[in-house]
Amino acid sequence: MADYSKLSSAIIEGILNQYGFEAPVKIIPQSHGISNSNYVLHFEKTEPVLLKVSNDKDLVELQKEQEILLELKNLNFDFSLTPYLNSEGKPVYQFEDLHGVIFPFVNGTVPALNKPNLAELAKGLATLHSLKSSNMSLRDHTEVGFDLNAIYDFSKHSNCPEDFVKTFQTVFEKRNLNSLLKTNWERGLIHGDLYFDNSLFENSKLLFEGFFAAV
């Protein structure tokens, strides 16, 4: 997270008006991270929120991302944020030339890379992978990445780096690759971008994982 947009208090209040939030008493730009602008907003009467301005995704991409988060809420998944809906019932706002999302603020810390924390992340992923969704309109993982067939095809391409080919062969040399390529996998949800800065912990317990796709 960072502060690339340099929002004025007037713009922030204009965005908040779409949700019926009161004017904030404190605005705290977030300085760490590599993409998007984020602000923690504190209010006199209600809990703080995180206002996100999307600097790296267009409106359609952002909307598809929020549809997955709303589905995860419907599936009672505990480790994802749920966007607030604005007065039009939409999870994504537009204001002047800006678009973004407002989330409840999660007061956690980025985890250290140790075995207990990795075990917590693994439990969260196992819970995620056990979920079954019948919503076929959710963003498919191939919109934001590559499936096994595409990776296999790339490994056979003349421009594929030799070290990539060797790594691919090593990973799958003890597996029945042809069987995997032909398998009609059950549809579910996966985490598409799991790294230490994309999760939050509190007292060694997982609070949040971010970025998901359907598979």
Side-chain angles (χ1 to χ4, degrees), residues 57-103:
K57 296 182 179 69
D58 64 29
L59 188 63
V60 173
E61 291 173 320
L62 191 63
Q63 176 70 32
K64 289 183 176 182
E65 191 173 90
Q66 306 320 303
E67 289 170 356
I68 292 178
L69 295 180
L70 292 171
E71 177 70 0
L72 287 171
K73 179 185 179 182
N74 292 335
L75 296 172
N76 298 314
F77 183 65
D78 293 330
F79 305 119
S80 64
L81 293 175
T82 301
Y84 285 105
L85 302 182
N86 63 20
S87 58
E88 297 180 349
K90 297 179 180 180
V92 176
Y93 69 78
Q94 290 180 272
F95 186 84
E96 298 180 353
D97 60 343
L98 304 171
H99 58 272
V101 187
I102 297 181
F103 291 112

Side-chain angles (χ1 to χ4, degrees), residues 116-133:
N117 288 344
L118 290 174
E120 280 289 301
L121 286 172
K123 291 177 184 178
L125 289 176
T127 302
L128 175 67
H129 296 163
S130 69
L131 300 177
K132 302 294 185 292
S133 174

Side-chain angles (χ1 to χ4, degrees), residues 27-211:
I27 300 171
I28 306 176
Q30 302 299 286
S31 59
H32 63 284
I34 59 174
S35 63
N36 304 311
S37 297
N38 295 270
Y39 305 83
V40 178
L41 309 180
H42 291 267
F43 305 101
E44 183 176 345
K45 299 178 181 179
T46 56
E47 293 297 315
V49 301
L50 179 72
L51 188 153
K52 179 184 292 290
V53 179
S54 181
N55 299 123
D56 66 340
K57 296 182 179 69
D58 64 29
L59 188 63
V60 173
E61 291 173 320
L62 191 63
Q63 176 70 32
K64 289 183 176 182
E65 191 173 90
Q66 306 320 303
E67 289 170 356
I68 292 178
L69 295 180
L70 292 171
E71 177 70 0
L72 287 171
K73 179 185 179 182
N74 292 335
L75 296 172
N76 298 314
F77 183 65
D78 293 330
F79 305 119
S80 64
L81 293 175
T82 301
Y84 285 105
L85 302 182
N86 63 20
S87 58
E88 297 180 349
K90 297 179 180 180
V92 176
Y93 69 78
Q94 290 180 272
F95 186 84
E96 298 180 353
D97 60 343
L98 304 171
H99 58 272
V101 187
I102 297 181
F103 291 112
F105 176 63
V106 176
N107 190 17
T109 58
V110 175
L113 291 179
N114 56 42
K115 288 184 178 180
N117 288 344
L118 290 174
E120 280 289 301
L121 286 172
K123 291 177 184 178
L125 289 176
T127 302
L128 175 67
H129 296 163
S130 69
L131 300 177
K132 302 294 185 292
S133 174
S134 59
N135 188 345
M136 300 301 293
S137 67
L138 295 179
R139 178 181 66 186
D140 192 87
H141 70 291
T142 55
E143 292 186 39
V144 291
F146 304 95
D147 62 9
L148 181 57
N149 288 275
I151 297 172
Y152 173 73
D153 290 341
F154 178 65
S155 74
K156 298 296 182 181
H157 197 279
S158 59
N159 291 333
C160 183
E162 184 177 345
D163 58 344
F164 184 97
V165 175
K166 289 181 178 179
T167 301
F168 183 84
Q169 292 172 344
T170 299
V171 170
F172 290 100
E173 66 181 358
K174 295 182 179 180
R175 296 169 174 84
N176 188 336
L177 180 58
N178 289 330
S179 175
L180 292 175
L181 291 169
K182 295 176 182 178
T183 298
N184 184 19
W185 300 101
E186 186 175 21
R187 186 172 174 83
L189 293 162
I190 61 170
H191 197 295
D193 193 21
L194 183 59
Y195 61 100
F196 78 99
D197 199 28
N198 219 353
S199 60
L200 292 176
F201 277 64
E202 183 179 49
N203 297 324
S204 300
K205 294 296 182 182
L206 177 65
L207 294 176
F208 161 74
E209 297 175 325
F211 194 85

